[in-house]
Amino acid sequence: MVRLSNSIVVLVNVLTLVISVAVIGGAAWSYTHPGSLCHRVLQQPLLFLGLSLLAVSLLGLIGACCRVQFLLWIYLFVMFVLIVGLVCFTVFTVVVTNKGVGKAVSDKGYKEYRLGDYSNWLRKYVVNQENWAKIRSCLVVADVCSTLGANPNETLADFRKRTLSPIQSGCCKPPTSCGFKFKNATYWTAPKTGGPAAADGDCATWSNNQSVLCYGCQSCKAGVLANIKKEWKLLAIINVVVLVFVIIIYSIGCCALRNVRSSGYLQSGKGHP
């Protein structure tokens, strides 16, 4: 049992060590190949994740291989903190993504999204002014609207049948309430008289410039939040699976620590009468 629990801890941490080296390598590559603002946003989180995985895996490896109780205690403490963190984050993601849903538009295959329908936390901390410049840069780099205008012969009736993603609906076209006239999927003209049909700030923000479109619109931010909500719901499910795995590893680590302590106790001669 001593060898089995220690071997499992060693195996898991060898895999974690390999992953950490790969993540650190990816972060280092991004630093030496500077790209857009979107790419630069990922550099520090990647480096932090890689270094954290490296430190934890080394603690587990050295503690299990060399049977160092102190390092195993630190390793188990970090794993316990990770378990608590995963539980808290899973609950948090469910709570903050509970609000918000796209509104179906009459006779159209897509939905439209309003920023006010989402939780205050998401609006305040995810799509705030500071973060939005980075998110907008990512949207432009990803060119999320390019495929919409690929068919020059598309009619308004054809466009209305499309199933658009939340980001495409919010960022690549003006809101339906603006009353703009369709030229193609990413080119719309304002009414010649009377201005937009709705007193919506997004109507004035819309631009036919293909690098601008509605990337500055509130509807675009709402589309991003709708996408984040969907991804975080999936992330919550993944977190539960990871949590079960980490709890199993934590339990095996506890067994390894107990075995190391028993081994040290017997080797010191205290286990004999």
Side-chain angles (χ1 to χ4, degrees):
M1 182 64 185
V2 176
R3 291 182 179 179
L4 179 60
S5 57
N6 281 14
S7 297
I8 294 175
V9 172
V10 169
L11 177 61
V12 169
N13 284 282
V14 166
L15 294 175
T16 307
L17 182 64
V18 173
I19 294 172
S20 69
V21 172
V23 172
I24 293 173
W29 183 89
S30 67
Y31 272 107
T32 57
H33 296 76
S36 66
L37 177 60
C38 178
H39 295 143
R40 293 196 296 272
V41 168
L42 300 175
Q43 291 173 351
Q44 290 185 350
L46 273 178
L47 184 60
F48 177 77
L49 175 63
L51 291 175
S52 299
L53 287 175
L54 179 64
V56 172
S57 58
L58 286 176
L59 284 173
L61 275 173
I62 297 173
C65 290
C66 302
R67 299 187 179 182
V68 181
Q69 290 188 43
F70 177 69
L71 293 181
L72 280 177
W73 273 115
I74 297 177
Y75 173 73
L76 290 176
F77 174 76
V78 173
M79 294 290 284
F80 178 76
V81 171
L82 178 60
I83 290 172
V84 174
L86 284 172
V87 171
C88 293
F89 182 70
T90 301
V91 174
F92 174 75
T93 55
V94 172
V95 171
V96 299
T97 58
N98 190 45
K99 291 179 60 180
V101 63
K103 300 292 191 299
V105 184
S106 179
D107 299 325
K108 295 175 177 62
Y110 52 82
K111 295 180 179 180
E112 293 192 338
Y113 304 82
R114 294 188 179 277
L115 191 58
D117 293 337
Y118 294 88
S119 70
N120 291 329
W121 190 92
L122 286 175
R123 284 181 280 157
K124 185 175 181 179
Y125 294 104
V126 177
V127 293
N128 58 34
Q129 186 174 358
E130 179 182 355
N131 290 338
W132 186 247
K134 301 173 184 177
I135 296 173
R136 178 172 177 166
S137 172
C138 290
L139 294 176
V140 173
V141 169
D143 208 9
V144 295
C145 300
S146 61
T147 58
L148 292 185
N151 182 8
N153 299 319
E154 184 178 37
T155 65
L156 178 59
D158 294 332
F159 180 76
R160 285 178 173 175
K161 295 177 183 178
R162 282 198 176 195
T163 302
L164 305 181
S165 70
I167 291 178
Q168 288 176 327
S169 177
C171 306
C172 305
K173 66 172 188 60
T176 301
S177 59
C178 293
F180 283 20
K181 294 184 178 180
F182 176 87
K183 296 298 181 181
N184 66 44
T186 57
Y187 194 96
W188 302 71
T189 58
K192 293 183 178 179
T193 57
D200 189 335
D202 286 353
C203 301
T205 304
W206 167 264
S207 171
N208 285 314
N209 184 326
Q210 297 300 295
S211 63
V212 178
L213 297 177
C214 221
Y215 290 127
C217 295
Q218 299 298 301
S219 63
C220 187
K221 294 181 180 180
V224 169
L225 291 185
N227 195 62
I228 288 175
K229 176 182 177 179
K230 179 180 178 181
E231 291 178 349
W232 279 21
K233 291 289 187 182
L234 176 60
L235 181 60
I237 297 174
I238 295 174
N239 277 348
V240 172
V241 176
V242 173
L243 181 61
V244 172
F245 176 76
V246 172
I247 290 175
I248 293 173
I249 299 304
Y250 177 78
S251 301
I252 295 173
C254 289
C255 292
L257 177 61
R258 184 168 60 250
N259 292 332
V260 168
R261 292 179 65 186
S262 299
S263 177
Y265 182 75
L266 291 173
Q267 288 177 8
S268 65
K270 296 180 181 179
H272 298 286

